[in-house]
């Protein structure tokens, strides 16, 4: 385990997956979301985004589980029907499963992301191929990590770029970032919540 004067530590590569999983499981709400999602039988699902990388930040900086997490993003992948109605038929009942929780759980079919993303940002992204592929298109390599429970209920980590960026204290946008204004608003908020980290702005 290596660290610096601030207490930020980087576990050996062989231990990094377990560190991330333990960090997520230290958040009681994340644990509930994972357990309930496991029972929904969604195809190729995963808990992703801030619920995972922010959990690492919270452990690293000594903050309680759930600090700074204002929603839990639950993705799944189903390309059989890309219509909005088909997604709504899944998302409505799924989100109702979490309605009693104090923080929203947002469910999204990753197979449809290119449709609304291209409309919103004027891009020409190709359709994704699975949930792991969705992580490759996140706004930062730090964000490209997710967790789910396998068929036996055991945590499984998805990290197509590895975990080096997750354990870096410098948060960089991807070079082809769409929506730099939204990125800069997000990191302005996050820098207040985790002042120990260095957030790099995107050129507008």
């Amino acid at each position: 385990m290596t660290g610096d004067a601030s207490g930020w530590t980087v576990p050996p590569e062989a231990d990094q997956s377990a560190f991330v999983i333990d960090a997520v499981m230290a958040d009681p709400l994340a644990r509930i979301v994972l357990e309930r999602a496991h029972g929904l039988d969604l195809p190729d699902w995963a808990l992703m985004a801030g619920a995972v990388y922010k959990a690492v930040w919270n452990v690293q900086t000594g903050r309680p589980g759930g600090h700074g997490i204002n929603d839990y993003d639950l993705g799944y992948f189903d390309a059989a029907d890309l219509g909005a109605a088909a997604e709504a038929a899944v998302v409505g009942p799924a989100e109702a499963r979490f309605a009693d929780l104090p923080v929203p759980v947002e469910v999204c079919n990753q197979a449809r992301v290119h449709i609304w993303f291209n409309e919103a940002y004027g891009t020409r992204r190709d359709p994704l191929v699975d949930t792991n592929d969705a992580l490759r298109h996140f706004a930062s390599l730090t964000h490209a990590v997710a967790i789910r429970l396998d068929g036996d209920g055991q945590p499984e980590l998805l990290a197509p770029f590895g975990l080096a960026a997750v354990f870096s204290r410098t948060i960089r946008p991807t070079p082809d970032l769409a929506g730099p204004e939204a990125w800069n608003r997000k990191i302005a908020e996050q820098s207040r919540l985790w002042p120990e980290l260095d957030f790099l702005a995107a050129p507008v």
Side-chain angles (χ1 to χ4, degrees):
M1 185 84 71
T2 60
D4 59 24
S6 72
W8 185 274
T9 58
V10 179
E13 187 173 353
D15 300 333
Q16 289 178 0
S17 292
F19 188 106
V20 175
I21 289 171
D22 289 346
V24 174
M25 292 303 189
D27 175 1
L29 280 182
R31 195 163 57 246
I32 291 172
V33 172
L34 284 167
E35 290 170 353
R36 293 186 186 180
H38 187 250
L40 289 174
D41 200 28
L42 296 171
D44 192 13
W45 68 274
L47 179 64
M48 52 181 58
V52 183
Y53 64 82
K54 290 178 181 178
V56 173
W57 295 350
N58 286 337
V59 171
Q60 292 281 46
T61 61
R63 291 181 170 84
H67 169 81
I69 299 176
N70 49 20
D71 58 51
Y72 290 82
D73 292 307
L74 184 62
Y76 70 98
F77 191 91
D78 186 358
D81 186 341
L82 297 183
E87 181 178 29
V90 174
V91 168
E95 291 186 346
R97 182 77 176 268
F98 306 102
D100 62 311
L101 300 183
V103 178
V105 176
E106 298 185 354
V107 183
C108 176
N109 183 5
Q110 300 300 301
R112 294 193 71 251
V113 166
H114 69 285
I115 298 173
W116 58 259
F117 193 94
N118 288 341
E119 291 177 353
Y121 295 106
T123 56
R124 299 182 65 180
R125 287 193 176 180
D126 294 330
L128 302 171
V129 299
D130 55 22
T131 294
N132 200 57
D133 189 32
L135 300 177
R136 297 188 183 97
H137 293 81
F138 276 24
S140 171
L141 296 185
T142 301
H143 300 176
V145 63
I147 186 173
R148 60 188 172 202
L149 303 184
D150 64 18
D152 296 322
Q154 298 303 307
E156 175 185 14
L157 200 65
L158 306 179
F161 298 116
L163 295 172
V166 177
F167 286 100
S168 171
R169 290 178 58 184
T170 302
I171 318 304
R172 296 176 170 86
T174 56
D176 60 345
L177 178 70
E181 297 89 349
W183 167 268
N184 291 339
R185 287 194 300 272
K186 175 184 288 189
I187 65 168
E189 176 187 359
Q190 292 181 348
S191 66
R192 291 191 294 270
L193 293 169
W194 293 276
E196 302 89 347
L197 278 63
D198 297 318
F199 297 90
L200 301 187
V204 178

